[in-house]
Amino acid sequence: MTATALPGVLAGTGPRTRTTQTHCPYCSLQCGVTMTAGDRPATLQPADFPTNRGGLCSKGWSAPELLDHPERLTRPLVRAVPGDRSSALVESTWDEALDRVVAAIERTQAAHGRDAVGCFGGGGLTNEQAYQFGKFARVALRTSRIDYNGRFCMSSAAGAANRAFGLDRGMPFPLSDVAAADVVVLVGSNPADTMPPAMQWFDEGRARGAQHVVVDPRRTATARNAALHLQPLPGTDLALANGLLHIAIAEGLVDEAYVAARTTGFEQVREGVGAYWPDRVERLTGVPVADQRRTVFALARAERAIVLTARGAEQHRSGTDTAQAWINLALALGLPGREGSGWATVTGQGNGQGGREHGQKADQLPGYRQLADPAARASVAAVWGVDPDDLPQPGPSAFELLDALGTDGGVRTLLVLASNVAVSAPDARRVISRLGDLDFLAVSDFFLSETAELADVVLPSAMWAEEDGTMTNVEGRVLRRRRALDPPDGVRDDLQLLAELADRLGAGHLFSADPETVFAELGRASAGGAADYSGITYRRIDEEQGVFWPCPAPDHPGTPRLFLDRFATPDGRARFLRVEHVEASERPDAAYPYVLTTGRVLAQYQSGTQTRRTRSLQLVAPLPRAELHPDLARRLGIGPDDVVELATRRGRARFSAHLTDDIRPDVVFAPFHWGGGSSANALTDADALDPTSRMPAFKVCAVAVTRVAGPVERLPAPDAATQPQTRPHQQPAARTPLLPSRPVPRRTPRVKSTPRFLQGVYPLTGEGLDKPGPIDPALRYTVPSGATAQALYFRGGNSTDHLVYVLLVRDGVPVRWFPIGAKGDVHVPLRVVEDLPGGTVVELQAAGPIGVTGELVVDLGLVEV
């Protein structure tokens, strides 16, 4: 790969052009691209970089479209009437805009203290910008109020990896190891849509016979290519992982020698997963016992096996524990630290890895050091040339920071770089309300995002092809983002912005606007830390196509594979940690009867600030589409492409309906790339944060679905009068551990149980397969008050010449259909119904084609305790 820009001259008197090797601005794969720029517009081609090997997705191909987009910001914007955000945003000079920002900072800190000014960053910033933003907050502002949108992405996996391995690098081995693995289990990950060029590694593995297992409530493009698709209810991945470990222990599949030599804490975990017997796990998750067993045996028998988790498993109130449960499974099978095997998490944002290593998080200093650690404070303060006692202590996490905006003790002036929290934050309407409560908001962006529209000052930023710096990709490979062309006149990059703001605040002598100078300082500040970059230089990155951290010395080769000899814990052993399944903070009920989960789609990225403005991508995904199962749509009278309104306790949003049997009938999926009337994050729950990572529950909440209209070209916004009131700010609750979904007894007590059976032979007259009805009053049962029942099995027989269905109904709500073939029978171990408390009404109903007559044999077995 060519390391530097290659200038060339076009024939005749035309403009000079240069060809530059750089990287795609989107996901953490950071595909190599070759930019050709002279007169605009610039063009690009995919490059043969180790991660993408010449591949590129539609988002990468279309990235140059935005460099000269007509909506591109090229001049600072300020409010026509200072302090009045209802007045228009008008163009201004840099001096006037920065004067307003600095005056607001000084005015706010004089009146309310240093912590009344806050900073919010993003995973798209270069390492240099992320490092400088953290330093700017702690040195120029001396505030503890800084966090970034990676808190909503990687924090749960990071928390689990740190406590299990002593170190968080999302993927502790090169991406190429995926191609060599015999078995790969992907949990809540859909790389076929989110990072398509990575699929060549999966395709290569399958071509040589590898088995891939995908755990996802949707049959995604990734799941469709897998050998096995497990489709759990959102929020139950922890129970599934514990159940798989239960099977591994029961079947003697644990690598006992590895566990004894390289880990601690297994006995507590062994005891804990004893309560996750396969039948119970099927009831909790919906994943059949046979599929659980198949997954465990595949992992245990593979010579090389990898477990990958991602946001689907981690964006929950128990996301850290969920990642830990999958780590426990991997450790029990002896995978981490074994070449070609291991556990990893799939980083999402372009610099999601580097962005969290060097000081944007509320509790961290560069090098992944802890801000509360006196030794870390002294080491970094020495590099920065400040007194360690002048550095603030850790501040609140991202959502806690946003939720307290404009309050006493909260941030009153906020600086936002590379983040669109009005779309990407949970309970987005609440966050928008909090942004309105600020005394002053400044946003740096290259478009007028939904967050920038609310600002007092908007500062135009250079885009990816117009700046120099480094990024750290999904593998932990530090690579170069090279400047391929100059930004428009009057546009500055965020490194220059921070240096100038620091200068105006009296700390300019401590800051540089030169990226290579800042990177060298980052190396010194990270030296000796977990994420040690001190041996990495721009020259090494150019010569070696990136360098894997940790790299503590100039002659160190970098570390493509971690943990081969020891883990990064004091005793070198990995930590098992007992974790328990907990229920989602919101469960479906009569008002909100379904489960909402959110995620990404192929043609959009993050909050959509860029991709929704890309013409070629808009042709692919012009409208946000909510996925519903055809059975659910039929029940609600919804047809293909109808306008549907999704409602939760926090808000309402509208989508175009996409009917697909790729999703569970009790789950609705909505993409989170849109704002306004189609904001999925206006619906998501932010009240139950993970005790460790402070991750909100993006992936599960209770939702109602209503048809609004037929197909349209432009989605109407919900009626503002129907939107729920946003919740007022409350002091965050103490961080207490989550309680398991039910107590786990040490020993099984003697329990009196009574079998119950709904059975017999009954006549059937079909009224249509979509019109089930009661079979006989004898097949209706009410669980007595004070008792609890469980359904154990269903058997059925059909005397007709046509397919018929028997439907299990709980309290009037369909739970499961049982198809019975023509003149056939079925026997189903029934483990999908949870405990049925006293008062629950269970009934069997039947459906057959119109006019079909015959007899049904039914037998539903329950046990009552």
Side-chain angles (χ1 to χ4, degrees):
M1 178 175 177
T2 307
T4 56
L6 303 175
V9 181
L10 296 179
T13 58
R16 291 179 60 84
T17 63
R18 61 185 178 190
T19 299
T20 307
Q21 304 288 354
T22 187
H23 295 271
C24 172
Y26 290 116
C27 79
S28 65
L29 203 60
Q30 287 294 286
C31 295
V33 297
T34 302
M35 291 284 297
T36 300
D39 280 352
R40 290 173 180 257
T43 61
L44 64 73
Q45 293 288 327
D48 187 19
F49 193 71
T51 47
N52 63 305
R53 298 191 297 185
L56 201 62
C57 76
S58 57
K59 292 188 287 289
W61 276 109
S62 64
E65 291 182 31
L66 297 171
L67 295 170
D68 297 297
H69 194 280
E71 296 180 20
R72 175 87 188 269
L73 298 176
T74 57
R75 296 287 185 274
L77 303 176
V78 300
R79 293 292 170 183
V81 179
D84 180 3
R85 272 178 248 164
S86 65
S87 65
L89 283 167
V90 297
E91 289 192 354
S92 173
T93 65
W94 274 95
D95 277 340
E96 181 185 1
L98 294 180
D99 283 347
R100 291 199 188 188
V101 174
V102 171
I105 290 171
E106 293 177 338
R107 182 172 61 248
T108 299
Q109 290 193 326
H112 303 286
R114 296 189 183 278
D115 282 350
V117 175
C119 301
F120 201 95
L125 295 174
T126 64
N127 286 319
E128 292 80 357
Q129 292 163 348
Y131 166 81
Q132 186 121 303
F133 201 22
K135 178 182 174 183
F136 174 81
R138 278 116 187 180
V139 173
L141 299 177
R142 293 179 62 185
T143 180
S144 67
R145 267 45 175 185
I146 178 171
D147 214 296
Y148 86 126
N149 61 19
R151 179 74 67 175
F152 302 148
C153 183
M154 297 298 303
S155 58
S156 290
N162 276 321
R163 70 189 189 187
F165 306 130
L167 179 66
D168 159 44
R169 195 180 85 189
M171 189 169 278
F173 44 77
L175 188 60
S176 56
D177 279 10
V178 170
D182 302 307
V183 173
V184 180
V185 175
L186 298 94
V187 188
S189 177
N190 181 23
D193 280 355
T194 58
M195 47 177 62
M199 289 308 293
Q200 61 186 300
W201 302 105
F202 293 90
D203 295 342
E204 186 177 317
R206 285 197 306 274
R208 45 172 291 276
Q211 293 185 65
H212 294 166
V213 179
V214 172
V215 181
D216 200 304
R218 303 163 61 219
R219 187 165 65 244
T220 63
T222 306
R224 283 193 287 274
N225 290 320
L228 181 61
H229 175 210
L230 311 185
Q231 203 166 11
L233 183 71
T236 62
D237 298 299
L238 192 159
L240 178 60
N242 276 0
L244 298 183
L245 182 50
H246 176 106
I247 294 172
I249 293 170
E251 296 292 340
L253 301 175
V254 172
D255 188 335
E256 299 287 358
Y258 173 98
V259 169
R262 301 205 61 186
T263 73
T264 63
F266 182 57
E267 288 310 312
Q268 291 81 6
V269 170
R270 186 197 298 269
E271 180 181 358
V273 301
Y276 293 82
W277 56 91
D279 289 1
R280 180 191 176 209
V281 171
E282 183 171 338
R283 291 200 309 275
L284 290 169
T285 68
V287 176
V289 171
D291 289 346
Q292 296 177 44
R293 294 179 61 82
R294 182 178 169 188
T295 301
V296 174
F297 277 94
L299 277 172
R301 291 171 176 172
E303 182 177 345
R304 297 185 174 199
I306 291 173
V307 177
L308 298 175
T309 65
R311 306 304 80 74
E314 300 157 6
Q315 286 181 318
H316 296 278
R317 66 186 294 227
S318 57
T320 304
D321 283 355
T322 301
Q324 180 72 52
W326 290 97
I327 291 173
N328 287 344
L329 175 65
L331 288 171
L333 299 177
L335 305 183
R338 199 173 89 201
E339 187 166 344
S341 297
W343 170 88
T345 186
V346 183
T347 305
Q349 298 187 77
N351 200 29
Q353 181 70 55
R356 69 181 185 271
E357 295 167 0
H358 299 300
Q360 281 195 100
K361 287 181 74 174
D363 57 350
Q364 287 182 356
L365 287 169
Y368 232 137
R369 287 186 166 95
Q370 293 302 302
L371 184 57
D373 179 2
R377 293 166 66 86
S379 177
V380 173
V383 174
W384 287 350
V386 299
D387 188 326
D389 292 337
D390 289 340
L391 299 178
Q393 291 295 324
S397 70
F399 186 78
E400 292 164 311
L401 185 156
L402 295 172
D403 194 31
L405 296 178
T407 64
D408 290 340
V411 168
R412 306 185 75 93
T413 287
L414 182 67
L415 174 60
V416 178
L417 303 188
S419 189
N420 186 12
V421 294
V423 174
S424 63
D427 198 353
R429 293 179 58 251
R430 181 163 144 198
V431 170
I432 291 170
S433 175
R434 301 294 192 265
L435 291 170
D437 293 337
L438 285 166
D439 296 340
F440 190 89
L441 173 63
V443 175
S444 171
D445 211 327
F446 23 79
F447 292 109
L448 196 64
S449 69
E450 287 82 353
T451 305
E453 288 177 347
L454 306 173
D456 294 272
V457 171
V458 183
L459 303 169
S461 174
M463 294 186 72
W464 60 283
E466 302 161 352
E467 61 186 13
D468 282 308
T470 61
M471 308 284 279
T472 304
N473 80 345
V474 64
E475 314 162 290
R477 185 195 304 260
V478 184
L479 46 83
R480 282 284 304 280
R481 172 179 283 184
R482 299 178 181 85
R483 183 168 174 162
L485 70 168
D486 295 332
D489 290 341
V491 172
R492 306 178 185 182
D493 68 40
D494 287 326
L495 207 60
Q496 294 171 308
L497 167 64
L498 291 169
E500 182 156 353
L501 282 174
D503 187 55
R504 288 169 178 256
L505 292 166
H509 61 292
L510 300 174
F511 291 81
S512 171
D514 175 63
E516 190 165 7
T517 300
V518 174
F519 186 77
E521 181 182 299
L522 181 161
R524 296 193 299 274
S526 70
D532 192 331
Y533 281 37
S534 60
I536 306 176
T537 63
Y538 277 22
R539 180 175 178 178
R540 281 196 64 180
I541 296 172
D542 292 344
E543 292 173 349
E544 301 173 29
Q545 291 194 314
V547 180
F548 290 87
W549 70 263
C551 182
D555 59 350
H556 190 281
T559 316
R561 291 182 179 84
L562 296 170
F563 314 138
L564 294 180
D565 300 316
R566 68 189 314 273
F567 294 97
T569 55
D571 61 2
R573 291 171 173 261
R575 304 285 193 257
F576 280 95
L577 187 71
R578 177 173 173 170
V579 291
E580 303 286 358
H581 168 71
V582 295
E583 299 289 354
S585 58
E586 270 193 0
R587 301 191 67 183
D589 56 20
Y592 303 97
Y594 310 108
V595 174
L596 173 68
T597 192
T598 65
R600 304 174 184 176
V601 296
L602 175 64
Q604 298 293 338
Y605 179 73
Q606 298 300 90
S607 70
T609 301
Q610 299 173 75
T611 50
R612 282 187 279 120
R613 289 176 167 84
T614 303
R615 182 174 180 276
S616 57
L617 297 178
Q618 278 295 91
L619 294 174
V620 177
L623 293 176
R625 305 211 299 169
E627 293 183 8
L628 296 87
H629 193 278
D631 289 351
L632 175 59
R634 187 181 307 113
R635 191 181 313 141
L636 300 176
I638 296 169
D641 301 321
D642 281 355
V643 178
V644 295
E645 184 168 283
L646 308 185
T648 70
R649 292 174 175 85
R650 290 153 296 280
R652 298 172 177 268
R654 291 182 176 178
F655 300 84
S656 175
H658 174 52
L659 309 189
T660 173
D661 60 5
D662 289 341
I663 194 166
R664 290 173 53 118
D666 53 356
V667 174
V668 178
F669 169 83
F672 59 64
H673 309 291
W674 281 263
S678 295
S679 172
N681 276 326
L683 311 175
T684 50
D685 182 11
D687 287 332
L689 302 182
D690 183 292
T692 300
S693 66
R694 313 309 287 162
M695 171 72 79
F698 284 98
K699 294 302 184 188
V700 58
C701 66
V703 67
V705 185
T706 308
R707 182 185 184 275
V708 174
V712 296
E713 292 187 6
R714 188 181 183 91
L715 291 171
D719 184 351
T722 67
Q723 294 281 17
Q725 291 295 313
T726 58
R727 220 189 72 177
H729 172 71
Q730 296 176 345
Q731 289 296 326
R735 302 186 184 187
T736 56
L738 299 173
L739 297 176
S741 58
R742 62 168 124 179
V744 180
R746 294 286 180 174
R747 297 187 180 278
T748 303
R750 296 184 64 184
V751 177
K752 181 180 179 181
S753 62
T754 305
R756 302 290 184 189
F757 303 98
L758 306 184
Q759 56 189 202
V761 181
Y762 300 94
L764 168 71
T765 299
E767 298 181 4
L769 288 175
D770 61 343
K771 294 181 179 179
I775 302 172
D776 189 276
L779 299 180
R780 181 182 176 92
Y781 176 69
T782 302
V783 180
S785 177
T788 299
Q790 289 184 349
L792 300 180
Y793 68 86
F794 171 80
R795 292 188 181 94
N798 169 25
S799 73
T800 77
D801 294 323
H802 298 270
L803 173 74
V804 300
Y805 289 92
V806 173
L807 177 63
L808 175 62
V809 178
R810 172 183 175 177
D811 291 331
V813 178
V815 174
R816 181 158 176 174
W817 292 82
F818 301 102
I820 310 177
K823 295 190 181 301
D825 57 66
V826 66
H827 177 204
V828 181
L830 188 57
R831 308 177 183 95
V832 298
V833 180
E834 252 302 354
D835 293 346
L836 307 173
T840 301
V841 179
V842 180
E843 183 178 15
L844 292 176
Q845 299 182 1
I850 296 175
V852 168
T853 60
E855 290 185 329
L856 284 178
V857 180
V858 294
D859 178 11
L860 177 68
L862 304 100
V863 62
E864 184 181 289
V865 297

